[in-house]
Structure formats: C-alpha cells, structure tokens
Amino acid sequence: TAPLSNGILRDEKMFDPTQTQPLSWRMHQGKPIPWEEVPMDPPDRQEPSFDSSPPDRLSERGYRLRARLGHCRLGPVYEAQDELSRISGSRHFAAVTLLDAKIAARPGFAAEFERGAAELKSVAHPNIVKLLEYGRERGHYYLVNELLESASLRFVLNDVGVLPMQEAVAVLRAVGDALEYLHAKAMVHGNLRPENVLVTFGYEVKLLDIVPTGWLATPIDALGVPARAPDRRDDVFGLACLAYEMLAGRHPYNGNTAQEAVRAGLEAAPVEGLGERQSRALGHALAVHRDDRTANVAQFLEEFGVPPAQKLRSVVAAASDPPRAGPARLPPRAAPVPA
C-alpha cells in the first residue's frame, strides 16, 4: 500500500494529461515540460468527435480551446484559456465540454439544454466540480467547468494499487456527501467510477461528469436489453464499487455493471482484512439486484463506519506529521497542510 501521504500527487510520473485534469506540467512530444512552455496549438491536438472545426470563441469571455483533456458522457472535454485573462497577463483556464451532436440533435433539446444547464449551474457543493457558465455558439452547445490541479482517482489507483483504510474512508465521505447533495436535489449521478473522482494537490476530493436528467438516451447492452432508469441505489452500488476498488485494488465484478453481473452469475469476493461489520455493509451495497441493495448513501456510510467529518486533507496531514520527541505536554499546534 502506498498512501497519498508519501507525496504521490507531486511525483512527476503522475503527470499524464490523458488521465487527469490539467496539472502543473504537460507532456509534449513524449517529454514533460512546464505549463508555460506548452505550445498553444499542439500538433497532435484532437478535435471534437462531431466536428473538425470547433468554434474559435466561446461566450463573451472568449474561451480559446487548447489541448483535448478527454471525453465524458456528454462529449469531448478541452482545456481552454480565458482570452480576457490572457490579454491582461493573468492565467485563467477552464474545462470546456462540447456536447456531442447526437445529443444536441434530439427534437426539443434547445429548451432541455437551458433547463438542464441551469440545474447544473445551481449545484454548489465543495466536493463537486463547479459549472461556471454554459451556452450555444454557432449550433454547438457547451459547458464551462472549473479546472483543477488534480489527478483522477483511477490514475492514483493505477499507481499505488490500493489505499490505506483511513484514506479510502475519507474519499468515501467526500464522494458520499456529494451524492447525498445531488439526491436531495432529485439528481442521480449514475456513472460513479474512479475516473470521475478527482483528488487535487491540496487533497480535496471532487466529483465530476454529472449529467442532467433526460440528456442521455437509455443505454442498450450487448444483447439489446435497455438499462433501467438511474436510481439513487445505483449510486449506492457505485460508491460501494469505489470502496471495493480502493481497498482491494480491483473492481468487485471485473468492471461489469450490476445487470451484466447478474447475467454472468458473478459474485464479489470478500475484501481481505475487512472486519465483519464492514464486509456485511459492503456486501449489502454491492447487491446486483437493485431492490436488495442498501436503501441510500447515508445508510451505507453509517453501516460501513465512515465518520461524519472525515477529511482527506486531515488524514494525509496526520500521516505526514513526524512523531515529536520531548515532554508529553506541549503547546497545541495546527496540523501541517501539504503543499
């Protein structure tokens, strides 16, 4: 086990733009180089899947698209620089999602986009990536999200394998709080996995890839069977899968959905070293049949023994603080916060 307190997020081998939000360094022609030396228009820059000519200017601030960061459920995601900040000499970057044409072409989507985007704009939670603005430019719908110096949880787990219990529990608390907030607003994430959880350099945990209800068509599996509409208990299942991966180093059902696990007759193996209470809580939340699952996120967190105020930053700071020699009675001091 390699804990986050060993500085894993500050190790240069973690800097991979294909699996992270932008970090302080970029890979250019196979070599890591500082942010300010990256070409504005890299030769290998990928274009959006639906159009080879994205808009040059988005919104009144004039976001200029740079390198492609990845792809979410709604479409390709680009790093973009605020042109007003560039002209003034400052650096303000954002993550711009260009909605796929298949989504935007549905009848009545213009009104649906306005409703859903306003719903996303109203989301304000410390553990959820914030939507800054949204709009439409020459027929292209876009969302502008804050851009964080961070790595995906998937990237972290690929490097360290598993997390110590205290760090895993802190991540569960942050993601669980974000899910409870969404559920209170009648929203469901429905795609919870390590790729959609960010850990910042300040050890904050952020959830991303939140999609308004109705924007995506019901997926069809390999046998042509439509999936059931997302439910809060699907987020419970996703959170339990996240817990399993952080503690066991693998997905409980080999990356299959609950529906696929039912069809294949898969069962989740016990996590080694987990206590009876936590094993039972994890087993209930991982039930492949939705109706057999733990009812809500709060219940799973309580049954799994997640403290109500567990912060990843505090856990990492405590693990990084070396033992002090001297008399037992010393003036209290604030726990150090990693850079």
Side-chain angles (χ1 to χ4, degrees):
T1 300
L4 289 170
S5 54
N6 71 355
I8 190 68
L9 291 183
R10 297 187 297 277
D11 192 332
E12 290 186 12
K13 65 183 177 180
M14 294 290 294
F15 298 156
D16 182 348
T18 65
Q19 297 194 48
T20 66
Q21 289 269 352
L23 303 172
S24 299
W25 295 69
R26 290 285 186 277
M27 296 296 293
H28 179 59
Q29 297 181 348
K31 298 179 181 180
I33 62 176
W35 172 293
E36 59 273 9
E37 296 179 17
V38 178
M40 286 294 293
D41 294 294
D44 59 346
R45 169 177 150 178
Q46 303 178 59
E47 299 296 343
S49 59
F50 62 88
D51 193 348
S52 60
S53 57
D56 295 326
R57 180 183 175 86
L58 293 173
S59 83
E60 294 180 357
R61 299 190 68 86
Y63 287 101
R64 180 180 178 182
L65 301 186
R66 291 162 56 98
R68 179 167 169 171
L69 299 175
H71 200 281
C72 66
R73 288 182 287 177
L74 294 175
V77 183
Y78 284 84
E79 174 190 292
Q81 183 174 12
D82 182 340
E83 286 291 277
L84 292 183
S85 72
R86 185 182 67 83
I87 294 172
S88 66
S90 61
R91 289 180 175 272
H92 176 243
F93 293 88
V96 173
T97 301
L98 299 177
L99 270 62
D100 192 274
K102 293 180 180 179
I103 299 175
R106 294 211 310 268
F109 183 74
E112 185 65 23
F113 173 77
E114 193 66 30
R115 179 205 62 79
E119 182 181 42
L120 288 179
K121 191 74 162 55
S122 71
V123 171
H125 190 276
N127 299 119
I128 296 178
V129 173
K130 184 173 181 55
L131 177 66
L132 303 177
E133 58 179 290
Y134 59 89
R136 183 180 184 184
E137 191 78 28
R138 296 185 312 201
H140 299 281
Y141 295 94
Y142 64 88
L143 302 172
V144 182
N145 287 286
E146 64 177 334
L147 199 53
L148 304 168
E149 295 282 334
S150 60
S152 70
L153 183 59
R154 168 63 66 208
F155 197 47
V156 173
L157 292 178
N158 284 347
D159 195 87
V160 304
V162 297
L163 292 181
M165 175 60 76
Q166 278 192 310
E167 292 182 357
V169 163
V171 173
L172 288 179
R173 168 50 64 187
V175 177
D177 285 349
L179 291 175
E180 286 190 81
Y181 173 85
L182 291 177
H183 294 174
K185 292 177 70 67
M187 301 174 69
V188 176
H189 190 282
N191 191 36
L192 188 59
R193 51 200 180 100
E195 288 83 351
N196 291 329
V197 176
L198 298 179
V199 182
T200 73
F201 279 13
Y203 299 105
E204 296 179 339
V205 179
K206 301 276 187 173
L207 183 63
L208 71 160
D209 195 30
I210 298 167
V211 178
T213 305
W215 279 23
L216 297 177
T218 303
I220 306 296
D221 68 12
L223 297 179
V225 179
R228 298 168 66 182
D231 181 271
R232 295 179 183 183
R233 286 167 293 181
D234 294 326
D235 283 345
V236 173
F237 179 82
L239 188 61
C241 287
L242 204 67
Y244 193 102
E245 281 205 63
M246 288 190 290
L247 297 173
R250 63 185 186 280
H251 190 276
Y253 301 110
N254 302 324
N256 291 293
T257 65
Q259 191 173 6
E260 293 164 342
V262 170
R263 187 176 299 125
L266 300 177
E267 294 184 2
V271 177
E272 185 178 351
L274 208 58
E276 181 180 350
R277 174 190 173 184
Q278 289 181 311
S279 295
R280 185 167 56 250
L282 194 58
H284 289 163
L286 287 173
V288 291
H289 293 287
R290 181 187 284 176
D291 296 338
D292 298 334
R293 223 169 274 161
T294 307
N296 54 63
V297 169
Q299 182 181 342
F300 168 65
L301 294 177
E302 181 182 358
E303 292 178 352
F304 196 74
V306 177
Q310 186 82 325
K311 299 290 185 182
L312 181 60
R313 177 184 294 183
S314 301
V315 171
V316 173
S320 304
D321 195 8
R324 292 171 290 161
R329 289 183 171 272
L330 291 174
R333 65 172 184 171
V337 177

